[in-house]
Amino acid sequence: MKSTLLEDLKVELKNHIDDLYQTDMPLVFGDGNPDSAMVLIGEAPGKQEVQKGKPFVGQAGKNLDQFIDILEIERTDLYITNVVKLRPYKVNEDTGRESNRTPTKKEIGIFSAYLMRELEIIMPRLVVTLGNIALKCILQDDKASIGVLHGEPAQTKFGAAEFSLFPLYHPASIIYKADLKDVYLQDLHKLKKYLKEMKIKE
Ligand code: URA
């Protein structure tokens, strides 16, 4: 059963990370239907994701939910995960406030081995990467760029998992760059058509 294999993988990853950081690290694992033909991959959880223990439940998650509505699919039919399963953050020395930061190459390296195994269990037909970090990780190409590859499906392999890759901008990017919204909507409509072609959605 895929769910049992994923549970075992979670335990293994949690032990690995707790050993590495020498503390009980709050991790956010993938969530959703492991039998789904389609997997969505983000970058890393934020504060709200850690509090709720689920990916994409904060502001970026709200944007993602709107995109999923455009695709006319149910979130519960999907499997959603992140490259990095801990929250990368920095602390402002003056105010003591925490803010999210981009994961380091080292963090991505540690977690991508587990993402590979996660996908090898699920064996999706389609992977939708959200943003640059997930795209570079799946293509194992640091030079890959979402600005160039967004909205263009490609066949790819990640470990033993082979699937169609559909790169989308990260849903948080339209919070900061409003001019991306039109491009994002066009990409979503291409994805909707592609889901029909692949018979993932009727
Ligand atoms: N951004 C991500 O990439 N993943 C989340 O889970 C939340 C925000």
Side-chain angles (χ1 to χ4, degrees):
M1 273 276 281
K2 289 181 184 181
S3 49
T4 316
L5 293 172
L6 287 171
E7 278 304 318
D8 292 347
L9 187 66
K10 276 187 199 175
V11 173
E12 192 184 324
L13 175 59
K14 175 88 175 99
N15 290 336
H16 179 177
I17 299 298
D18 287 355
D19 277 356
L20 206 63
Y21 288 79
Q22 289 292 296
T23 186
D24 179 10
M25 290 294 286
L27 300 185
V28 177
F29 297 99
D31 180 59
N33 176 5
D35 294 313
S36 174
M38 180 175 164
V39 169
L40 266 53
I41 307 176
E43 179 176 315
K47 193 174 176 184
Q48 279 159 295
E49 282 74 23
V50 170
Q51 277 165 358
K52 297 204 175 126
K54 280 191 179 190
F56 284 102
V57 289
Q59 185 53 50
K62 287 199 185 114
N63 289 11
L64 184 65
D65 285 344
Q66 286 176 6
F67 302 156
I68 292 174
D69 279 351
I70 292 174
L71 297 176
E72 292 174 3
I73 44 183
E74 297 295 324
R75 183 165 165 151
T76 45
D77 288 340
L78 298 171
Y79 185 88
I80 305 181
T81 193
N82 282 303
V83 176
V84 169
K85 266 77 170 170
L86 54 74
R87 176 189 178 210
Y89 68 92
K90 53 182 186 249
V91 181
N92 180 307
E93 282 183 14
D94 296 327
T95 62
R97 284 182 64 170
E98 293 174 358
S99 59
N100 294 342
R101 60 165 173 78
T102 305
T104 61
K105 286 216 165 72
K106 194 171 167 206
E107 287 163 339
I108 295 169
I110 294 165
F111 282 98
S112 65
Y114 286 88
L115 176 66
M116 189 178 275
R117 289 172 59 196
E118 197 177 4
L119 293 182
E120 285 173 343
I121 292 169
I122 298 171
M123 286 293 191
R125 288 167 56 213
L126 175 66
V127 167
V128 176
T129 49
L130 304 168
N132 251 325
I133 298 284
L135 176 67
K136 287 175 198 281
C137 173
I138 289 296
L139 290 178
Q140 294 166 280
D141 178 0
D142 214 34
K143 295 205 172 68
S145 161
I146 187 66
V148 177
L149 299 176
H150 70 94
E152 294 299 329
Q155 206 57 32
T156 196
K157 219 171 165 240
F158 192 56
E162 269 183 82
F163 44 80
S164 295
L165 166 68
F166 195 101
L168 282 182
Y169 280 101
H170 193 281
S173 61
I174 61 158
I175 303 172
Y176 309 108
K177 292 190 201 141
D179 51 331
L180 271 184
K181 191 146 187 196
D182 287 347
V183 180
Y184 212 129
L185 289 176
Q186 282 169 20
D187 287 351
L188 281 172
H189 285 288
K190 277 192 204 167
L191 175 57
K192 194 170 174 180
K193 211 168 134 215
Y194 192 60
L195 291 177
K196 284 197 179 135
E197 279 166 26
M198 286 189 78
K199 298 200 179 352
I200 289 179
K201 182 186 158 347
E202 290 314 307

